Amino acid sequence: MIPNIIPGVRRLPEPSRVDRALRALERASLRRTPQRLAIVRAFVDDPSHPTAQMIFDRLRDEMPTMSFATVYNTLASLEQAGACRTLRLDGPAGDGGVRFDPNVDPHDHAVCDRCGAVADVPAPARKEPLPRVEGFRVHAVERILRGACTRCAPG
Amino acid sequence: MIPNIIPGVRRLPEPSRVDRALRALERASLRRTPQRLAIVRAFVDDPSHPTAQMIFDRLRDEMPTMSFATVYNTLASLEQAGACRTLRLDGPAGDGGVRFDPNVDPHDHAVCDRCGAVADVPAPARKEPLPRVEGFRVHAVERILRGACTRCAPG
DNA sequence: ATGAGTGCAAATGCTTTGCATCCTG
DNA sequence: CAGGATGCAAAGCATTTGCACTCAT
């Protein structure tokens, strides 16, 4: 079943996303097992940045033997394969879990400090140069936009 | 495991920081107890973004009765009082804990993907306008600079 | 038959909570 | 003496691990 999402609406499955993930699995020489396929389908088009728990819950019905460990393993594999990213963005309202983001294109995250909702925000059109930091080689910049969603702070 | 401070050297205590924290406590009508004072002194000048565990360990010697709960309580109070900030920035090398940052001035964080070290990076001089996001009211932008410290990736 | 993948349960680690006690105002 | 603060231990979670079993190559 299709769970709660916050500001975004659940997009209809885009075959391209599922395909992209499956190709990533193949590239990493990982087998296309029923469990992995189910996990991929369960979250690859979900913009709500679900936790492993949420994904696990979604799959209980259609695949009652699904194991928690398999969810974690698969998500870790997908991340290694470049088919998803992991986030930790708990703020004041955060629930402390790792969240999985099937969107691997560069983008920021808007996080509601009150309800913990997360929304993707397209990266700025003009890409800025990586900042220089002494003693560091910067590979990427991750931006979290903290605030309140209109549902929590209307008006 | 506790990653060490990377580029920064532990600064000598700046009375102003301790004072600022104590004033924040006062403003929040929180008592200046020996435990809180010790906790403040133990991390307020530490740029390594320690975890509660690290702070607790530091205090074991000078205050053997110190309780873990008190460390958490005090740090939560300090955060509420605006005297510190909490971070979760575990990446690939992250150890999963909440980290405490006594620096409440606007700044970014450089995180080493290999050893988990964290360094403060002064915010860019020219401040950019807050990005507009539909369905959100953005209060602040948090930037994490992912990369490798020169200790992990020399040259 | 070899090894990847899975499922179950137990273990781990960080954080929070409950509650009795202590202390300060 | 009332409420804030502390200390201790236990409870809660999310995540990881160990191990036996299954299945595909």
Side-chain angles (χ1 to χ4, degrees):
Chain A
M1 265 288 291
I2 296 164
N4 60 305
I5 283 100
I6 311 242
V9 178
R10 185 181 175 94
R11 296 188 286 267
L12 289 177
E14 302 165 14
S16 58
R17 286 232 168 180
V18 176
D19 287 351
R20 217 201 286 187
L22 295 182
R23 263 184 274 120
L25 281 182
E26 193 168 15
R27 238 179 292 123
S29 348
L30 296 168
R31 291 186 196 148
R32 213 169 9 259
T33 66
Q35 289 84 350
R36 286 179 178 159
L37 201 53
I39 292 168
V40 164
R41 277 203 283 253
F43 99 109
V44 87
D45 289 303
D46 175 357
S48 74
H49 308 77
T51 63
Q53 180 71 60
M54 294 180 210
I55 296 170
F56 178 67
D57 290 343
R58 276 176 214 173
L59 295 169
R60 287 187 81 80
D61 289 337
E62 64 173 279
M63 193 173 282
T65 69
M66 173 69 69
S67 150
F68 222 94
T70 299
V71 174
Y72 273 105
N73 287 339
T74 296
L75 289 168
S77 300
L78 285 171
E79 186 185 19
Q80 264 199 298
C84 78
R85 306 189 70 79
T86 58
L87 305 170
R88 296 204 73 145
L89 6 87
D90 11 28
D95 60 21
V98 173
R99 315 190 66 143
F100 296 89
D101 188 348
N103 181 357
V104 292
D105 299 320
H107 64 281
D108 301 332
H109 292 106
V111 182
C112 177
D113 288 335
R114 306 213 197 160
C115 70
V118 183
D120 281 0
V121 178
R126 64 177 182 84
K127 56 190 274 184
E128 307 174 35
L130 290 179
R132 294 183 171 228
V133 178
E134 182 175 330
F136 261 86
R137 184 162 311 174
V138 177
H139 296 330
V141 177
E142 191 177 299
R143 299 207 318 166
I144 300 174
L145 281 32
R146 304 257 176 215
C149 66
T150 43
R151 184 180 300 191
C152 288
Chain B
M1 245 286 297
I2 294 163
N4 272 335
I5 311 108
I6 308 256
V9 179
R10 185 185 173 93
R11 297 189 285 269
L12 290 176
E14 303 166 14
S16 59
R17 287 234 170 178
V18 175
D19 287 349
R20 217 200 288 187
L22 295 183
R23 261 184 276 122
L25 281 182
E26 193 169 13
R27 236 179 294 122
S29 348
L30 296 168
R31 292 187 196 147
R32 215 170 7 258
T33 66
Q35 288 84 351
R36 286 181 178 157
L37 201 53
I39 291 167
V40 165
R41 276 204 284 255
F43 98 107
V44 86
D45 289 301
D46 175 356
S48 73
H49 307 78
T51 63
Q53 180 70 61
M54 293 180 216
I55 296 170
F56 178 68
D57 289 343
R58 276 177 211 170
L59 295 169
R60 287 186 82 79
D61 289 337
E62 63 173 278
M63 194 172 283
T65 69
M66 174 69 70
S67 152
F68 223 93
T70 299
V71 174
Y72 273 104
N73 286 339
T74 297
L75 289 168
S77 301
L78 285 172
E79 186 185 20
Q80 262 199 299
C84 78
R85 304 190 71 79
T86 58
L87 307 169
R88 297 202 74 146
L89 4 87
D90 9 28
D95 59 25
V98 174
R99 314 188 67 144
F100 295 89
D101 187 348
N103 182 358
V104 291
D105 300 320
H107 64 281
D108 300 332
H109 292 107
V111 182
C112 178
D113 288 336
R114 307 214 195 159
C115 69
V118 182
D120 281 0
V121 178
R126 65 178 180 82
K127 55 190 276 186
E128 307 174 36
L130 291 178
R132 292 182 174 230
V133 179
E134 183 174 330
F136 262 85
R137 184 161 312 175
V138 178
H139 296 329
V141 177
E142 190 178 301
R143 301 207 317 167
I144 299 174
L145 281 34
R146 304 254 176 219
C149 67
T150 42
R151 185 180 298 187
C152 288

